[in-house]
Amino acid sequence: MRYTGPKEKLSRRIGENLGLKAERSFSPKSAFLKKPYRPGMHGKSRRRSLSEFGTQLLEKQKIKFTYGLTEKQLQKYFNEAKQKKGITGNLLLGALEKRLDNVVYRGGLASSRITARQLVNHGHFLVNNKKVNIPSYSVKTGEIIAIKPKSRSKAMFFDLANKLKKHEAPAWLAVNKKNLDITIKAELKNDDLPKNFNMNMVTAYYSK
C-alpha cells in the first residue's frame, strides 16, 4: 500500500529531506527543517547505527518514497530491470526516471512528483497529441509531452511560463518554455541518473 500520511514525515523517517512537498520542503515551514529527527516520542534520541540490512532497507525506502511507489510496484520494476542486460540498479532507476509523472515533474510542468501524478491521473497531459492518464507510462525518445489545451487556463498551471524561466531540466529533456511542452530528446544515459541514491544497496536488498 502506498503511504498516505504526512509527506514530510517520510523525510524525517529517512533522515534526509526528500523534497516531497515541492518548495515547501525547503522553506521555513518545512516540518523536516523544524524537526530534523525521527517522528515519535523517541525521535530526538540518538539514532542507532544501522545493520547492513537496515541500511539497505533505508535506501530502498528512500527511493520508494521519492517516486511515490507501493512496495509491489517497486518490486516489479526491480524484477524487470534484473531481466535486462546491464547494471540492474541503473536500469531500475532509469525506468523510474522515464515514468510520465516523473518527466512532468523533471520538466517543470508540476512542482512535485505528487502533484505531477495527480495531474496525469486527471488527464491534463497529452503524449504525441493523445491523452495519457497513466502516471507509470514509460516515455520514449522523440515523444512530446504537452498540457491539454483545455487545461492550460486552469489554476494549477497559472504563471507556469514564468516559473519555467528559472527551471533547469535534465539534459535528456528539451523543455519548450514558450509552448509549455517537453520533448524526450535522447535516451537516458547513466550520467543522467540522479546521484542521490545508492542503487547498490537497493539491488542488494532485493537480491537477498
Side-chain angles (χ1 to χ4, degrees):
M1 180 179 290
R2 183 178 287 122
Y3 185 88
T4 56
K7 300 301 179 185
E8 290 187 298
K9 191 175 284 188
L10 297 178
S11 292
R12 293 175 61 201
R13 284 171 60 182
I14 295 296
E16 182 177 330
N17 194 341
L18 302 178
L20 301 180
K21 294 288 284 185
E23 293 178 2
R24 180 188 172 93
S25 295
F26 304 97
S27 75
K29 296 180 180 180
S30 167
F32 179 83
L33 296 179
K34 287 180 179 179
K35 302 175 182 179
Y37 47 82
R38 290 173 298 166
M41 61 183 296
H42 300 297
K44 287 187 177 181
S45 61
R46 185 176 178 181
R47 188 185 286 262
R48 291 180 297 177
S49 58
L50 294 173
S51 64
E52 182 180 19
F53 175 77
T55 304
Q56 293 167 357
L57 173 62
L58 196 67
E59 200 65 25
K60 186 270 296 182
Q61 294 291 78
K62 178 180 169 183
I63 198 167
K64 172 185 166 184
F65 294 154
T66 297
Y67 288 94
L69 305 174
T70 64
E71 193 64 50
K72 185 177 180 180
Q73 287 172 327
L74 185 53
Q75 177 77 63
K76 181 182 177 184
Y77 275 110
F78 175 79
N79 290 342
E80 290 174 350
K82 190 170 63 171
Q83 300 303 317
K84 297 177 181 178
K85 186 177 181 179
I87 301 172
T88 299
N90 289 350
L91 292 169
L92 166 59
L93 189 52
L96 299 180
E97 280 291 296
K98 289 193 289 185
R99 284 174 56 100
L100 178 58
D101 55 358
N102 181 72
V103 171
V104 167
Y105 163 66
R106 290 287 194 199
L109 301 187
S111 59
S112 69
R113 289 184 183 87
I114 296 168
T115 301
R117 179 174 294 112
Q118 292 172 341
L119 294 175
V120 173
N121 269 327
H122 293 158
H124 293 299
F125 289 98
L126 305 175
V127 178
N128 284 0
N129 291 319
K130 294 182 180 180
K131 186 175 82 170
V132 177
N133 58 3
I134 303 171
S136 62
Y137 174 84
S138 183
V139 300
K140 303 170 187 65
T141 303
E143 289 185 327
I144 299 174
I145 292 86
I147 302 168
K148 193 168 66 175
K150 289 184 179 180
S151 299
R152 288 185 175 228
S153 60
K154 294 188 178 293
M156 70 279 285
F157 298 118
F158 175 73
D159 204 32
L160 182 58
N162 282 326
K163 292 176 182 176
L164 280 175
K165 290 178 182 178
K166 304 175 184 177
H167 183 77
E168 290 187 24
W172 59 287
L173 301 178
V175 180
N176 188 316
K177 298 182 179 183
K178 181 179 179 180
N179 293 339
L180 306 182
D181 61 36
I182 305 166
T183 299
I184 314 303
K185 69 175 186 178
E187 188 63 34
L188 192 146
K189 298 182 176 118
N190 288 341
D191 288 343
D192 298 319
L193 297 173
K195 303 298 189 289
N196 55 323
F197 301 107
N198 187 329
M199 297 310 295
N200 289 333
M201 290 285 186
V202 177
T203 300
Y205 173 86
Y206 280 117
S207 298
K208 289 188 179 297

